[in-house]
Amino acid sequence: FPSHDTYFGSGVGISSGNTYTDLYVSTGNAAVLESILLVNDNGISDTKADVVYTDGSDNIVGFYAYKFIVPADATVELLEAPKYLPLNYKIKVLANQPDRLEAVISGRKL
């Protein structure tokens, strides 16, 4: 990769059910997403998740996952190939139950 790229990684616990939580905001530069992981840390119950990307005004532009079932004690990878994310776009995550889902993202700013 060119030397001017800046790599990033972050994660968030989804503490509210049926409410979108920001996972990543592409500020300063556009980005290439390399990985989005969903982790269900509840040892008993599955959870459903939506992962969306929005424009700068929080309008949903598309989905990476829609009502995706993450089994109990499972980790799933959503991206099979890198995805471009324009400047000021956001990645948001929603779970149908609170305190079961963790989301982790990594990539590079362009």
Side-chain angles (χ1 to χ4, degrees):
F1 295 110
S3 60
H4 64 276
D5 289 348
T6 302
Y7 295 91
F8 66 86
S10 64
V12 65
I14 311 302
S15 59
S16 299
N18 295 312
T19 301
Y20 282 104
T21 301
D22 288 354
L23 177 59
Y24 178 74
V25 180
S26 179
T27 58
N29 297 75
V32 174
L33 308 179
E34 300 286 344
S35 175
I36 298 176
L37 295 174
L38 298 179
V39 180
N40 183 345
D41 59 9
N42 181 283
I44 300 169
S45 301
D46 299 345
T47 191
K48 290 182 184 173
D50 292 357
V51 179
V52 301
Y53 57 100
T54 69
D55 62 18
S57 299
D58 288 334
N59 298 307
I60 294 175
V61 176
F63 286 82
Y64 291 122
Y66 180 75
K67 299 200 184 303
F68 186 84
I69 296 173
V70 182
D73 279 339
T75 300
V76 293
E77 169 67 59
L78 294 182
L79 302 181
E80 292 187 20
K83 303 290 184 199
Y84 176 78
L85 188 68
L87 178 64
N88 295 323
Y89 274 45
K90 302 174 185 178
I91 303 296
K92 295 177 171 269
V93 181
L94 176 144
N96 70 327
Q97 297 292 325
D99 300 320
R100 287 189 189 170
L101 192 70
E102 312 289 330
V104 179
I105 191 168
S106 64
R108 60 187 169 96
K109 293 182 180 182
L110 301 178

XYZ file of all heavy atoms in Angstrom:
839
model
N 0.833 -1.183 0.000
C 0.000 0.000 0.000
C 0.880 1.250 0.000
O 1.959 1.230 0.588
C -0.894 0.027 1.234
C -1.890 -1.098 1.266
C -1.767 -2.131 2.172
C -2.957 -1.117 0.386
C -2.681 -3.160 2.208
C -3.879 -2.133 0.419
C -3.745 -3.154 1.323
N 0.396 2.324 -0.600
C 1.182 3.560 -0.579
C 1.428 4.036 0.853
O 0.623 3.810 1.744
C 0.291 4.550 -1.338
C -0.620 3.720 -2.165
C -0.812 2.445 -1.405
N 2.525 4.721 1.051
C 2.924 5.123 2.398
C 2.009 6.183 3.000
O 2.026 6.388 4.201
C 4.359 5.642 2.389
O 4.441 6.761 1.531
N 1.192 6.878 2.192
C 0.332 7.913 2.751
C -0.971 7.360 3.331
O -1.744 8.095 3.909
C 0.028 8.988 1.696
C -0.754 8.479 0.533
N -0.158 7.847 -0.537
C -2.077 8.495 0.272
C -1.086 7.503 -1.411
N -2.253 7.875 -0.943
N -1.227 6.070 3.161
C -2.425 5.472 3.745
C -2.304 5.414 5.268
O -1.228 5.203 5.811
C -2.645 4.049 3.227
C -3.068 4.024 1.769
O -3.399 5.089 1.221
O -3.057 2.930 1.185
N -3.416 5.598 5.949
C -3.480 5.498 7.390
C -4.436 4.384 7.751
O -5.593 4.406 7.339
C -3.983 6.829 8.001
O -3.118 7.874 7.599
C -4.026 6.743 9.510
N -3.968 3.421 8.487
C -4.799 2.289 8.868
C -5.593 2.613 10.131
O -5.139 3.376 10.975
C -3.938 1.046 9.074
C -3.302 0.609 7.775
C -2.053 1.083 7.407
C -3.973 -0.240 6.908
C -1.479 0.714 6.205
C -3.404 -0.617 5.707
C -2.164 -0.134 5.364
O -1.605 -0.495 4.164
N -6.765 2.040 10.250
C -7.594 2.272 11.429
C -8.260 0.963 11.837
O -8.395 0.034 11.053
C -8.656 3.354 11.179
C -9.692 2.960 10.153
C -10.816 2.241 10.513
C -9.535 3.315 8.832
C -11.760 1.873 9.563
C -10.474 2.965 7.877
C -11.582 2.240 8.242
N -8.683 0.933 13.073
C -9.453 -0.175 13.614
C -10.183 0.305 14.846
O -9.645 1.107 15.607
N -11.402 -0.130 15.009
C -12.154 0.256 16.197
C -13.280 -0.741 16.415
O -13.609 -1.536 15.544
C -12.705 1.678 16.076
O -13.634 1.766 15.018
N -13.864 -0.656 17.583
C -14.964 -1.547 17.905
C -15.962 -0.851 18.809
O -15.654 0.173 19.414
N -17.146 -1.430 18.876
C -18.199 -0.855 19.702
C -19.089 -1.991 20.210
O -19.333 -2.963 19.505
C -19.009 0.192 18.911
C -19.770 -0.419 17.761
C -19.935 0.970 19.797
N -19.535 -1.844 21.450
C -20.535 -2.754 22.004
C -21.910 -2.152 21.772
O -22.108 -0.964 21.995
N -22.834 -2.955 21.329
C -24.187 -2.475 21.042
C -25.006 -2.619 22.326
O -25.450 -3.713 22.672
C -24.837 -3.251 19.876
C -23.886 -3.319 18.680
C -26.176 -2.634 19.514
C -23.440 -1.981 18.145
N -25.178 -1.507 23.033
C -25.824 -1.550 24.350
C -27.323 -1.291 24.291
O -28.020 -1.506 25.276
C -25.161 -0.551 25.296
O -25.243 0.749 24.771
N -27.841 -0.830 23.155
C -29.278 -0.576 23.010
C -29.852 -1.479 21.926
O -29.239 -1.647 20.870
C -29.534 0.881 22.607
O -29.050 1.752 23.583
N -31.015 -2.042 22.180
C -31.682 -2.861 21.173
C -32.451 -1.997 20.195
O -33.035 -0.980 20.569
N -32.418 -2.389 18.921
C -33.176 -1.737 17.852
C -32.862 -0.256 17.691
O -33.733 0.539 17.332
C -34.680 -1.965 18.038
C -35.031 -3.428 17.901
O -34.610 -4.085 16.953
N -35.768 -3.950 18.863
N -31.616 0.130 17.958
C -31.146 1.501 17.759
C -29.800 1.437 17.037
O -28.922 0.678 17.447
C -30.960 2.217 19.111
O -32.203 2.220 19.810
C -30.485 3.643 18.915
N -29.645 2.219 15.981
C -28.370 2.225 15.261
C -27.278 2.892 16.085
O -27.488 3.940 16.690
C -28.510 2.940 13.909
C -29.166 2.079 12.867
C -30.484 2.289 12.507
C -28.462 1.051 12.251
C -31.100 1.487 11.552
C -29.068 0.248 11.301
C -30.378 0.476 10.957
O -30.968 -0.325 10.020
N -26.096 2.270 16.098
C -24.916 2.771 16.792
C -23.819 2.986 15.763
O -23.567 2.112 14.930
C -24.439 1.751 17.848
O -25.493 1.523 18.781
C -23.197 2.242 18.572
N -23.154 4.154 15.799
C -22.046 4.418 14.880
C -20.884 3.486 15.171
O -20.436 3.378 16.315
C -21.556 5.862 15.014
C -22.516 6.883 14.430
O -23.531 6.483 13.815
O -22.243 8.088 14.587
N -20.397 2.835 14.120
C -19.192 2.018 14.221
C -17.993 2.772 13.643
O -16.905 2.731 14.190
C -19.385 0.686 13.485
C -18.193 -0.252 13.423
C -17.708 -0.633 14.816
C -18.545 -1.497 12.616
N -18.205 3.494 12.534
C -17.110 4.225 11.902
C -17.682 5.387 11.098
O -18.715 5.248 10.441
C -16.307 3.307 10.976
C -15.189 4.018 10.267
C -14.036 4.377 10.943
C -15.303 4.357 8.925
C -13.008 5.056 10.297
C -14.283 5.034 8.277
C -13.141 5.373 8.964
O -12.138 6.051 8.337
N -16.987 6.526 11.130
C -17.336 7.694 10.325
C -16.115 8.061 9.496
O -15.025 8.250 10.030
C -17.752 8.894 11.205
C -18.100 10.101 10.337
C -18.912 8.531 12.113
N -16.292 8.151 8.192
C -15.196 8.463 7.278
C -15.002 9.976 7.221
O -15.597 10.658 6.398
C -15.514 7.908 5.887
O -14.490 8.218 4.993
N -14.180 10.503 8.123
C -13.927 11.947 8.176
C -12.501 12.227 7.715
O -11.591 11.446 7.987
C -14.110 12.497 9.595
O -13.235 11.801 10.479
C -15.536 12.339 10.071
N -12.319 13.323 7.039
C -10.991 13.720 6.602
C -10.553 13.071 5.300
O -9.890 13.700 4.503
N -10.887 11.820 5.100
C -10.531 11.078 3.891
C -11.605 10.033 3.610
O -12.295 9.593 4.526
C -9.211 10.325 4.084
C -8.038 11.229 4.314
O -7.876 11.788 5.390
N -7.220 11.392 3.305
N -11.698 9.625 2.364
C -12.476 8.436 2.049
C -11.730 7.235 2.635
O -10.592 7.358 3.077
C -12.639 8.295 0.538
N -12.369 6.069 2.649
C -11.745 4.905 3.275
C -12.017 3.649 2.465
O -12.969 3.585 1.687
C -12.270 4.727 4.702
N -11.179 2.670 2.684
C -11.408 1.323 2.171
C -11.591 0.424 3.382
O -10.699 0.323 4.228
C -10.235 0.832 1.295
C -10.438 -0.620 0.903
C -10.096 1.702 0.058
N -12.753 -0.183 3.483
C -13.047 -1.087 4.592
C -12.464 -2.452 4.272
O -12.703 -3.005 3.206
C -14.549 -1.187 4.812
C -15.296 0.140 4.962
C -16.782 -0.115 5.138
C -14.728 0.944 6.104
N -11.708 -3.001 5.198
C -11.084 -4.309 5.004
C -11.838 -5.417 5.732
O -11.872 -6.550 5.277
C -9.634 -4.276 5.494
C -8.758 -3.272 4.779
C -8.378 -3.679 3.372
O -8.529 -4.851 3.020
O -7.929 -2.800 2.616
N -12.449 -5.094 6.888
C -13.093 -6.125 7.691
C -14.174 -5.515 8.569
O -13.983 -4.433 9.127
C -12.051 -6.817 8.583
O -12.654 -7.750 9.450
N -15.300 -6.199 8.651
C -16.322 -5.908 9.654
C -16.663 -7.237 10.314
O -17.116 -8.169 9.650
C -17.597 -5.280 9.058
C -17.286 -3.928 8.407
C -18.659 -5.110 10.149
C -18.469 -3.293 7.703
N -16.403 -7.317 11.620
C -16.705 -8.519 12.394
C -17.886 -8.249 13.312
O -17.968 -7.176 13.919
C -15.513 -8.925 13.259
C -14.241 -9.359 12.563
C -13.142 -9.571 13.601
C -14.467 -10.622 11.767
N -18.777 -9.214 13.420
C -19.855 -9.175 14.404
C -19.625 -10.314 15.378
O -19.418 -11.457 14.976
C -21.220 -9.337 13.722
C -21.603 -8.255 12.727
C -22.971 -8.572 12.119
C -21.607 -6.884 13.363
N -19.661 -10.005 16.668
C -19.396 -10.988 17.716
C -20.592 -11.025 18.650
O -20.953 -10.015 19.249
C -18.128 -10.610 18.519
C -17.862 -11.643 19.612
C -16.938 -10.438 17.605
N -21.205 -12.194 18.779
C -22.275 -12.394 19.749
C -21.630 -12.974 20.999
O -21.222 -14.133 21.018
C -23.343 -13.335 19.199
C -24.512 -13.512 20.140
O -24.437 -13.164 21.315
N -25.599 -14.067 19.645
N -21.515 -12.166 22.048
C -20.858 -12.627 23.268
C -21.835 -13.195 24.294
O -21.467 -13.440 25.431
C -19.987 -11.525 23.879
C -20.760 -10.268 24.236
O -22.008 -10.280 24.178
O -20.109 -9.266 24.562
N -23.068 -13.444 23.860
C -24.058 -14.095 24.715
C -23.945 -15.604 24.480
O -24.042 -16.064 23.351
C -25.463 -13.595 24.363
C -26.521 -14.220 25.226
O -26.899 -15.368 25.022
N -27.011 -13.467 26.179
N -23.733 -16.349 25.523
C -23.514 -17.789 25.383
C -24.770 -18.614 25.197
O -24.688 -19.825 25.044
N -25.934 -18.000 25.189
C -27.185 -18.758 25.147
C -28.028 -18.456 23.914
O -28.538 -19.365 23.269
C -28.008 -18.483 26.417
C -27.216 -18.913 27.651
C -29.354 -19.189 26.365
C -27.813 -18.455 28.956
N -28.166 -17.175 23.560
C -29.145 -16.779 22.548
C -28.513 -16.159 21.312
O -27.526 -15.424 21.411
C -30.127 -15.767 23.139
O -30.788 -16.318 24.251
N -29.119 -16.427 20.157
C -28.744 -15.769 18.914
C -29.204 -14.317 18.957
O -30.040 -13.940 19.769
C -29.410 -16.452 17.713
C -29.021 -17.912 17.558
O -28.037 -18.336 18.193
O -29.702 -18.622 16.807
N -28.662 -13.512 18.064
C -29.134 -12.143 17.912
C -29.183 -11.796 16.435
O -28.462 -12.381 15.632
C -28.255 -11.139 18.692
O -28.893 -9.876 18.731
C -26.884 -11.010 18.088
N -30.055 -10.872 16.069
C -30.150 -10.401 14.686
C -29.471 -9.046 14.590
O -29.600 -8.205 15.486
C -31.608 -10.268 14.249
C -32.308 -11.592 14.089
C -33.728 -11.389 13.609
C -34.447 -12.716 13.555
N -35.873 -12.530 13.250
N -28.780 -8.823 13.473
C -28.032 -7.585 13.302
C -28.256 -6.997 11.916
O -28.404 -7.727 10.945
C -26.546 -7.834 13.511
N -28.266 -5.668 11.865
C -28.211 -4.922 10.615
C -26.909 -4.130 10.641
O -26.545 -3.565 11.675
C -29.350 -3.908 10.487
C -30.724 -4.534 10.335
O -30.831 -5.771 10.268
O -31.699 -3.767 10.292
N -26.214 -4.091 9.509
C -25.051 -3.230 9.349
C -25.304 -2.420 8.085
O -25.487 -2.986 7.012
C -23.736 -4.028 9.230
C -22.560 -3.090 9.042
C -23.534 -4.906 10.461
N -25.347 -1.096 8.237
C -25.696 -0.217 7.125
C -24.593 0.793 6.891
O -23.755 1.029 7.753
C -27.024 0.536 7.382
C -28.165 -0.431 7.596
C -26.910 1.481 8.566
N -24.600 1.380 5.698
C -23.785 2.561 5.471
C -24.717 3.697 5.096
O -25.714 3.514 4.412
C -22.658 2.353 4.463
C -23.036 1.875 3.087
C -23.126 2.766 2.029
C -23.274 0.527 2.845
C -23.445 2.328 0.750
C -23.594 0.085 1.583
C -23.677 0.985 0.531
O -24.005 0.552 -0.721
N -24.406 4.876 5.651
C -25.253 6.050 5.478
C -24.428 7.192 4.896
O -23.199 7.196 4.993
C -25.856 6.529 6.814
O -24.819 7.063 7.635
C -26.569 5.409 7.539
N -25.128 8.165 4.330
C -24.453 9.382 3.908
C -24.240 10.267 5.132
O -24.577 9.879 6.255
C -25.226 10.092 2.796
C -26.626 10.538 3.214
O -26.920 10.624 4.431
O -27.433 10.812 2.312
N -23.685 11.452 4.931
C -23.389 12.348 6.036
C -24.605 12.836 6.796
O -24.496 13.308 7.913
N -25.800 12.699 6.200
C -27.049 13.106 6.856
C -27.785 11.940 7.496
O -28.960 12.053 7.829
C -27.960 13.803 5.839
O -27.343 14.950 5.330
N -27.123 10.807 7.626
C -27.669 9.587 8.240
C -28.778 8.923 7.430
O -29.563 8.139 7.971
C -28.152 9.847 9.668
C -26.994 10.057 10.623
O -25.896 9.542 10.354
O -27.182 10.739 11.645
N -28.857 9.202 6.130
C -29.789 8.476 5.258
C -29.152 7.152 4.876
O -28.005 7.126 4.406
C -30.082 9.284 3.985
C -30.739 10.597 4.289
O -31.747 10.647 4.968
N -30.143 11.685 3.804
N -29.870 6.053 5.068
C -29.324 4.738 4.735
C -29.167 4.636 3.222
O -30.113 4.840 2.464
C -30.214 3.610 5.276
C -30.196 3.626 6.808
C -29.742 2.250 4.752
C -31.136 2.629 7.457
N -27.940 4.321 2.800
C -27.611 4.180 1.378
C -27.620 2.706 0.985
O -28.000 2.358 -0.122
C -26.248 4.826 1.080
C -25.839 4.622 -0.364
C -26.272 6.308 1.428
N -27.195 1.831 1.905
C -27.160 0.406 1.604
C -26.900 -0.423 2.842
O -26.646 0.103 3.928
N -26.979 -1.735 2.663
C -26.815 -2.692 3.763
C -25.629 -3.617 3.489
O -25.448 -4.086 2.372
C -28.062 -3.571 3.904
C -29.247 -2.879 4.505
C -30.080 -2.077 3.734
C -29.542 -3.034 5.846
C -31.177 -1.443 4.287
C -30.638 -2.398 6.415
C -31.453 -1.603 5.624
N -24.849 -3.898 4.528
C -23.884 -4.999 4.500
C -24.511 -6.237 5.122
O -24.105 -7.356 4.819
C -22.601 -4.632 5.237
C -21.788 -3.581 4.526
C -21.470 -2.395 5.150
C -21.340 -3.772 3.227
C -20.722 -1.419 4.511
C -20.605 -2.805 2.566
C -20.300 -1.638 3.223
O -19.568 -0.668 2.576
N -25.486 -6.036 5.998
C -26.232 -7.147 6.609
C -27.622 -6.644 6.967
O -27.775 -5.508 7.427
C -25.528 -7.652 7.864
N -28.623 -7.497 6.759
C -30.008 -7.146 7.096
C -30.641 -8.314 7.835
O -30.750 -9.414 7.285
C -30.801 -6.817 5.838
C -32.244 -6.451 6.110
C -32.553 -5.208 6.649
C -33.269 -7.348 5.851
C -33.871 -4.865 6.921
C -34.587 -7.014 6.111
C -34.880 -5.765 6.643
O -36.181 -5.427 6.914
N -30.971 -8.085 9.103
C -31.547 -9.120 9.967
C -30.712 -10.410 9.919
O -31.228 -11.510 9.892
C -33.003 -9.383 9.598
C -33.870 -8.149 9.774
C -35.329 -8.469 9.883
C -36.190 -7.238 9.958
N -35.902 -6.320 11.028
N -29.405 -10.206 9.922
C -28.439 -11.296 9.868
C -28.371 -11.967 11.232
O -28.149 -11.298 12.243
C -27.070 -10.724 9.481
C -26.013 -11.740 9.242
C -25.891 -12.354 8.011
C -25.129 -12.072 10.251
C -24.902 -13.293 7.791
C -24.139 -13.008 10.042
C -24.022 -13.622 8.800
N -28.556 -13.267 11.284
C -28.531 -13.987 12.558
C -27.088 -14.328 12.918
O -26.394 -15.010 12.162
C -29.387 -15.261 12.500
C -30.847 -14.871 12.282
C -29.220 -16.078 13.777
C -31.770 -16.047 12.048
N -26.664 -13.832 14.086
C -25.342 -14.139 14.625
C -25.575 -15.131 15.766
O -26.159 -14.778 16.791
C -24.621 -12.878 15.130
C -23.231 -13.228 15.629
C -24.563 -11.810 14.039
N -25.146 -16.381 15.597
C -25.385 -17.391 16.634
C -24.702 -17.053 17.958
O -23.717 -16.317 17.996
C -24.781 -18.665 16.030
C -24.723 -18.414 14.557
C -24.486 -16.938 14.423
N -25.219 -17.617 19.030
C -24.616 -17.442 20.356
C -23.155 -17.871 20.320
O -22.810 -18.880 19.687
C -25.379 -18.264 21.387
N -22.296 -17.098 20.964
C -20.854 -17.366 21.041
C -20.169 -17.466 19.683
O -19.168 -18.167 19.547
C -20.570 -18.641 21.847
C -20.613 -18.396 23.337
O -20.461 -17.239 23.752
O -20.795 -19.372 24.089
N -20.677 -16.774 18.672
C -20.100 -16.848 17.332
C -19.529 -15.500 16.901
O -19.951 -14.445 17.371
C -21.141 -17.300 16.326
N -18.564 -15.567 15.984
C -18.010 -14.395 15.320
C -18.173 -14.597 13.827
O -17.848 -15.665 13.310
C -16.509 -14.231 15.650
O -16.364 -14.090 17.061
C -15.922 -13.024 14.955
N -18.681 -13.578 13.136
C -18.845 -13.672 11.682
C -18.167 -12.489 11.007
O -18.144 -11.377 11.537
C -20.334 -13.740 11.260
C -20.961 -15.034 11.734
C -21.111 -12.564 11.789
N -17.603 -12.734 9.842
C -16.965 -11.716 9.004
C -17.945 -11.347 7.898
O -18.478 -12.224 7.221
C -15.687 -12.274 8.384
C -15.074 -11.424 7.291
C -14.532 -10.104 7.785
O -13.652 -10.112 8.657
O -14.995 -9.062 7.282
N -18.208 -10.058 7.729
C -19.172 -9.626 6.722
C -18.564 -9.315 5.357
O -19.241 -9.427 4.349
C -19.940 -8.396 7.209
C -20.851 -8.601 8.400
C -21.582 -7.306 8.720
C -21.855 -9.717 8.140
N -17.320 -8.899 5.307
C -16.736 -8.478 4.034
C -15.831 -9.562 3.466
O -14.899 -10.007 4.116
C -15.927 -7.194 4.219
C -16.680 -5.993 4.774
C -15.742 -4.796 4.877
C -17.890 -5.660 3.937
N -16.102 -9.960 2.225
C -15.227 -10.913 1.549
C -14.194 -10.214 0.688
O -13.222 -10.820 0.252
C -16.052 -11.863 0.695
C -16.917 -12.790 1.531
C -17.592 -13.834 0.690
O -17.146 -14.095 -0.435
O -18.573 -14.399 1.174
N -14.430 -8.939 0.417
C -13.506 -8.129 -0.376
C -13.547 -6.699 0.167
O -14.537 -6.299 0.781
C -13.915 -8.159 -1.842
N -12.497 -5.931 -0.047
C -12.498 -4.539 0.416
C -13.644 -3.740 -0.203
O -14.050 -3.981 -1.341
C -11.142 -4.005 -0.057
C -10.289 -5.213 -0.220
C -11.217 -6.293 -0.664
N -14.162 -2.784 0.565
C -15.270 -1.930 0.122
C -14.875 -0.470 0.294
O -14.356 -0.074 1.333
C -16.539 -2.198 0.947
C -17.010 -3.631 0.937
C -17.547 -4.022 -0.402
C -18.099 -5.436 -0.313
N -18.233 -6.059 -1.590
N -15.173 0.337 -0.712
C -14.898 1.768 -0.681
C -15.989 2.477 0.110
O -17.168 2.181 -0.039
C -14.846 2.310 -2.109
C -14.653 3.798 -2.197
C -13.393 4.364 -2.002
C -15.719 4.641 -2.478
C -13.206 5.730 -2.089
C -15.542 6.021 -2.564
C -14.286 6.549 -2.362
O -14.108 7.900 -2.447
N -15.608 3.423 0.963
C -16.555 4.231 1.727
C -16.232 5.706 1.482
O -15.154 6.179 1.849
C -16.456 3.915 3.220
C -17.526 4.549 4.104
C -18.900 3.949 3.814
C -17.176 4.380 5.568
N -17.140 6.457 0.838
C -16.876 7.867 0.538
C -16.716 8.724 1.797
O -17.158 8.362 2.883
C -18.122 8.301 -0.239
C -18.726 7.047 -0.762
C -18.414 6.004 0.274
N -16.111 9.868 1.610
C -15.922 10.850 2.667
C -17.252 11.206 3.311
O -18.252 11.400 2.617
C -15.267 12.106 2.086
C -15.037 13.279 3.028
C -14.063 12.888 4.124
C -14.506 14.470 2.247
N -17.280 11.279 4.634
C -18.433 11.631 5.471
C -19.498 10.541 5.556
O -20.529 10.749 6.185
C -19.077 12.959 5.039
C -18.136 14.118 5.240
O -17.386 14.146 6.210
N -18.147 15.054 4.318
N -19.299 9.402 4.939
C -20.237 8.294 5.097
C -19.964 7.595 6.421
O -18.889 7.712 6.994
C -20.118 7.307 3.944
C -20.945 7.679 2.735
C -20.980 8.970 2.233
C -21.701 6.724 2.089
C -21.731 9.312 1.131
C -22.471 7.036 0.973
C -22.479 8.331 0.503
O -23.245 8.659 -0.585
N -20.963 6.865 6.910
C -20.874 6.204 8.208
C -21.241 4.732 8.083
O -22.065 4.356 7.260
C -21.843 6.849 9.207
C -21.621 8.321 9.430
C -22.701 8.894 10.305
C -22.561 10.397 10.434
N -23.637 10.967 11.254
N -20.667 3.937 8.965
C -21.080 2.543 9.149
C -21.803 2.499 10.485
O -21.277 2.956 11.505
C -19.872 1.581 9.170
C -19.052 1.713 7.889
C -20.334 0.158 9.393
C -19.779 1.325 6.625
N -23.011 1.950 10.483
C -23.832 1.864 11.697
C -24.283 0.417 11.889
O -24.508 -0.310 10.928
C -25.060 2.767 11.580
C -24.722 4.244 11.517
C -25.980 5.074 11.338
C -25.693 6.531 11.482
N -25.830 7.039 12.831
N -24.448 0.043 13.151
C -24.839 -1.321 13.511
C -26.064 -1.276 14.410
O -26.168 -0.425 15.296
C -23.689 -2.047 14.247
C -24.075 -3.471 14.602
C -22.421 -2.023 13.405
N -26.976 -2.212 14.181
C -28.186 -2.356 14.998
C -28.313 -3.820 15.399
O -28.067 -4.714 14.583
C -29.406 -1.923 14.174
C -30.785 -2.085 14.813
C -31.677 -0.931 14.382
C -31.420 -3.385 14.377
N -28.684 -4.071 16.635
C -28.970 -5.424 17.116
C -30.377 -5.445 17.686
O -30.851 -4.439 18.223
C -27.972 -5.846 18.191
N -31.048 -6.584 17.564
C -32.425 -6.649 18.067
C -32.486 -6.781 19.584
O -33.545 -6.564 20.173
C -33.199 -7.786 17.386
C -32.734 -9.163 17.801
O -31.550 -9.370 18.080
N -33.640 -10.109 17.837
N -31.366 -7.116 20.221
C -31.302 -7.241 21.674
C -30.108 -6.448 22.195
O -29.044 -6.458 21.577
C -31.141 -8.705 22.092
C -32.291 -9.602 21.698
C -33.563 -9.271 22.457
O -33.508 -8.903 23.627
N -34.691 -9.381 21.788
N -30.238 -5.789 23.330
C -29.100 -5.041 23.877
C -28.059 -5.964 24.512
O -28.372 -7.074 24.940
C -29.748 -4.142 24.940
C -30.967 -4.889 25.369
C -31.451 -5.626 24.141
N -26.828 -5.487 24.556
C -25.723 -6.125 25.301
C -25.420 -7.557 24.878
O -24.987 -8.362 25.697
C -26.006 -6.067 26.811
C -26.151 -4.641 27.298
O -25.375 -3.777 26.843
O -27.058 -4.376 28.121
N -25.614 -7.879 23.605
C -25.234 -9.196 23.090
C -24.214 -9.102 21.968
O -23.497 -10.054 21.709
C -26.453 -9.946 22.537
C -27.396 -10.455 23.559
C -28.419 -11.339 22.900
N -29.471 -11.672 23.838
C -30.585 -12.259 23.505
N -30.829 -12.577 22.260
N -31.490 -12.530 24.422
N -24.196 -7.972 21.267
C -23.413 -7.871 20.039
C -22.285 -6.859 20.182
O -22.481 -5.768 20.708
C -24.333 -7.462 18.884
C -23.741 -7.580 17.481
C -23.566 -9.052 17.112
C -24.642 -6.894 16.472
N -21.110 -7.250 19.692
C -19.963 -6.370 19.562
C -19.647 -6.285 18.067
O -19.793 -7.271 17.341
C -18.730 -6.938 20.290
C -18.983 -7.409 21.704
C -19.244 -6.297 22.686
O -18.703 -5.190 22.477
O -19.973 -6.528 23.650
N -19.208 -5.120 17.608
C -18.840 -4.942 16.206
C -17.434 -4.363 16.134
O -17.085 -3.477 16.909
C -19.836 -4.035 15.503
N -16.647 -4.881 15.197
C -15.265 -4.448 15.032
C -15.032 -4.155 13.550
O -15.461 -4.929 12.687
C -14.266 -5.536 15.497
C -12.830 -5.094 15.289
C -14.533 -5.908 16.955
N -14.362 -3.041 13.257
C -14.086 -2.649 11.876
C -12.615 -2.324 11.731
O -11.973 -1.860 12.669
C -14.954 -1.440 11.466
C -14.891 -1.190 9.966
C -14.583 -0.199 12.253
C -15.925 -0.204 9.470
N -12.067 -2.603 10.543
C -10.703 -2.182 10.233
C -10.626 -1.820 8.751
O -11.438 -2.254 7.944
C -9.689 -3.286 10.566
O -9.907 -4.409 9.756
N -9.660 -0.990 8.437
C -9.498 -0.564 7.058
C -8.376 0.446 6.958
O -7.503 0.520 7.823
N -8.446 1.238 5.897
C -7.430 2.272 5.704
C -8.059 3.510 5.091
O -8.971 3.418 4.277
C -6.270 1.776 4.860
C -6.665 1.316 3.479
C -5.458 0.667 2.785
N -5.898 0.001 1.582
C -5.859 0.532 0.362
N -5.369 1.748 0.186
N -6.279 -0.140 -0.688
N -7.581 4.656 5.541
C -8.004 5.938 4.968
C -7.169 6.177 3.715
O -5.984 5.844 3.680
C -7.811 7.072 5.965
C -8.719 6.978 7.157
C -8.512 8.139 8.084
C -9.423 8.037 9.288
N -9.266 9.184 10.173
N -7.780 6.763 2.719
C -7.061 7.027 1.470
C -6.463 8.420 1.457
O -6.926 9.302 2.103
C -8.014 6.875 0.287
C -8.653 5.490 0.167
C -9.612 5.475 -0.996
C -7.584 4.437 -0.009
